[in-house]
């Protein structure tokens, strides 16, 4: 929900390629699954080139970057635990 209490719905995705992950969460209106797959592959190559024995984990949502800090916090708190519930579906 936003600061005025109105519910907001955003589409989110997550990609990962191994169990030990390095990545982040991208909040931009243009984010989609294709972009996250590309960023995940890029992160995997960066990790390999720097000697990190880690895969990638990238998440993202088509969220508006102009949100307040409290809106972003509420969104992240609700988004982060969701992907494991849907893996394999």
């Amino acid at each position: 929900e936003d600061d005025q209490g109105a519910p907001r719905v955003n589409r989110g995705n997550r990609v990962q390629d191994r169990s030990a992950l390095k990545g982040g969460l991208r909040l931009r209106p243009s984010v989609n699954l294709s972009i996250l797959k590309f960023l995940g592959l890029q992160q995997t190559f960066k990790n390999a080139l720097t000697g990190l024995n880690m895969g990638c984990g990238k998440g993202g949502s088509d969220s508006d970057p102009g949100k307040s800090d409290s809106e972003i916090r509420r969104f992240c708190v609700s988004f982060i635990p969701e992907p494991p519930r849907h893996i394999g579906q």
Side-chain angles (χ1 to χ4, degrees):
E1 68 183 35
D2 62 17
D3 287 337
Q4 288 74 38
R8 299 285 180 207
V9 177
N10 295 96
R11 182 173 299 268
N13 293 289
R14 177 162 175 82
V15 296
Q16 65 186 59
D17 69 352
R18 291 176 53 182
S19 59
L21 306 173
K22 180 179 185 328
L25 188 61
R26 186 177 192 89
L27 304 175
R28 295 283 182 262
S30 62
V31 166
N32 60 41
L33 184 57
S34 296
I35 290 172
L36 292 175
K37 285 180 179 179
F38 170 76
L39 292 172
L41 181 63
Q42 185 180 41
Q43 185 67 52
T44 299
F45 286 136
K46 285 170 40 180
N47 292 346
L49 290 172
T50 58
L52 290 174
N53 188 18
M54 302 179 86
C56 83
K58 286 287 186 183
S61 172
D62 60 356
S63 180
D64 179 16
K67 291 184 175 185
S68 68
D69 288 346
S70 61
E71 285 178 330
I72 292 170
R73 182 188 55 76
R74 283 193 303 275
F75 173 79
C76 291
V77 165
S78 65
F79 178 76
I80 291 171
E82 281 299 310
R85 291 182 23 186
H86 305 285
I87 292 175
Q89 294 182 357

